[in-house]
Amino acid sequence: ETGVTQSPTHLIKTRGQQVTLRCSSQSGHNTVSWYQQALGQGPQFIFQYYREEENGRGNFPPRFSGLQFPNYSSELNVNALELDDSALYLCASSRGQGASGGGETQYFGPGTRLLVL
Amino acid sequence: KQEVTQIPAALSVPEGENLVLNCSFTDSAIYNLQWFRQDPGKGLTSLLLIQSSQREQTSGRLNASLDKSSGRSTLYIAASQPGDSATYLCAVTPYSSASKIIFGSGTRLSIRP
C-alpha cells in the first residue's frame, strides 16, 4: 500500500509569485485535506476535498485554492504569495467524506516546505 | 470556537523515565482526539486515535486517555528512549466541522541519554 506523497519537497518563491503544490493520496482514500504549519505552530486547516468537491474550508483567503482529480490526487494553489505564506504545507488523505467520516484516521504526507522571499 | 492547548511547550527528561504529556480542549463536542508525532522538518505520524466514546487507547509503550467532560487528554510514555525525541501534537475533530482537525501547538520532547 502506497502512502501519501507530496511534491516538491522544498520550494523557494518570491513575493507576488504563484505556486502549485501536489499531493497523491493513499490507495483507497477519496478525501484529501490540506494544512499549513508555520514554524513552531500546529498545523492549520486550509480546506478539504471529497470526490473532487470542496468539503470544508478554514480561515484562509481566496488566493488559496485547490483541486481534486478523478484519481483523488490533489493540488493546492497559492496566488500572490506573501512572506507569511512561508511554511510547511501538509496533505492528508482518508477514507470517506469528512462529515460522516469524523472517526477516520487522516494519513499525512511528508509535506512541502515553502519559503517566500 | 474550539481551541486546543498543550502544556508544556518543551520538556527534557533523562532516558528511562516515564512521562506524561498534557492536552486540553475547550469544546467537548468532538468525534475523536488524536496524538501525532512529528520529527523535525517532517510530516505527521498518527500514534493513537481515541473515539469520543472511548476512554483510552494503548500502543506499545504509549497510552492515551480521554476525559471529554473535563476537556483533557494525556499521553503517557513509558520507559522513554532517545528515539522518542520529537514534537508531539494533540488534535481533535469537532462535530461542528468534521472535515477538519484542530491541532495544539505541540510539546517538543527531548530524551537525554
Side-chain angles (χ1 to χ4, degrees), chain A residues 35 43 45 106 108, chain B residues 34 36 91-94 97 99-103:
Chain A
Y35 295 81
F45 175 75
Q106 292 192 13
F108 283 79
Chain B
Q34 297 184 69
F36 292 88
V92 299
T93 304
S97 181
S99 59
K100 69 178 179 182
I101 297 175
I102 299 174
F103 287 84

Side-chain angles (χ1 to χ4, degrees), chain A residues 102-104, chain B residues 31-33 49-55 57 66:
Chain A
E104 298 287 346
Chain B
Y31 279 108
N32 59 51
L33 182 143
L49 181 150
I50 311 176
Q51 300 289 1
S52 62
S53 59
Q54 298 174 321
R55 298 285 294 193
Q57 283 286 335
L66 173 63

Side-chain angles (χ1 to χ4, degrees), chain A:
Chain A
E1 185 175 84
T2 306
V4 179
T5 60
Q6 293 186 242
S7 63
T9 56
H10 295 83
L11 203 52
I12 300 175
K13 291 286 189 178
T14 57
R15 196 170 46 183
Q17 285 189 311
Q18 179 265 343
V19 68
T20 297
L21 310 181
R22 296 178 174 82
C23 170
S24 292
S25 59
Q26 189 164 313
S27 176
H29 290 182
N30 56 19
T31 302
V32 173
S33 304
W34 285 92
Y35 295 81
Q36 180 195 66
Q37 186 178 23
L39 202 61
Q41 300 296 316
Q44 299 289 317
F45 175 75
I46 303 175
F47 43 57
Q48 183 185 83
Y49 279 83
Y50 168 70
R51 293 186 176 178
E52 304 178 57
E53 297 288 330
E54 188 177 286
N55 179 48
R57 186 179 182 94
N59 189 26
F60 280 81
R63 59 189 186 84
F64 286 77
S65 63
L67 283 173
Q68 188 179 31
F69 300 99
N71 67 355
Y72 303 128
S73 66
S74 177
E75 286 183 355
L76 164 65
N77 298 290
V78 186
N79 293 322
L81 283 167
E82 301 177 359
L83 298 179
D84 285 349
D85 296 333
S86 295
L88 180 68
Y89 288 84
L90 296 163
C91 163
S93 74
S94 58
R95 288 191 182 90
Q97 183 177 3
S100 61
E104 298 287 346
T105 297
Q106 292 192 13
Y107 295 85
F108 283 79
T112 293
R113 184 161 297 283
L114 172 65
L115 178 61
V116 182
L117 301 176

